Amino acid sequence: MPPDLTNYIRDIPDFPKPGILFKDITPLLGDPAALKAAVQALAAPYRQASLTAVAAVESRGFIFASAVACELDCGFIPLRKPDKLPAATTSATYELEYGTDTIEVHTDAIRPGDRVAIIDDLVATGGTAVAAVDLVKRLGGELVGCSFLIDLAFLGGAARLAPCPVHTVITYNGD
């Protein structure tokens, strides 16, 4: 029986700023059985999906997405902060509660018709995930779905991804 992954998520109050309850995944990453179970759960919706690649935003998304790519025998597409990728890029800018941020992808990373899933550790307000979806679609990829280890459902981010199918492993409702 797989481990209860909620037992490996540590709450850190007031990080990175007062009033935030940070969901720390490092205990999960340090436990081989929990890490394996998390990767398998994130990959589960796509086992028969014939994915070309999984995409993820740096940095914690990279940890899970590269393992999911190996699990599903497909490629990995890094979505990075500006000026981190060496070849031609396209970008998407998204809103944060305190401003904006931008992610980029190589213009040749996704070809028209590629079947892509987005993998990340957490969805909160959804801004980053919406930008990732935009990049996949803009480059002609077929977005198969998004899979998140943690959904902070009380912030509504997963709902912003509709009509994209969203899979989450652990959901926190804010209670």
Side-chain angles (χ1 to χ4, degrees), residues 21-70:
L21 181 62
F22 186 80
K23 298 297 184 185
D24 180 16
I25 62 168
T26 55
L28 183 146
L29 297 175
D31 184 278
L35 179 58
K36 183 174 184 172
V39 169
Q40 290 174 338
L42 288 164
Y46 311 113
R47 292 209 180 276
Q48 304 303 316
S50 300
L51 292 182
T52 308
V54 296
V57 179
E58 62 179 284
S59 66
R60 289 181 309 229
F62 284 10
I63 297 166
F64 292 107
S66 58
V68 168
C70 288

Side-chain angles (χ1 to χ4, degrees), residues 147-158:
S147 192
F148 302 97
L149 177 64
I150 297 171
D151 177 15
L152 301 181
F154 57 96
L155 295 176

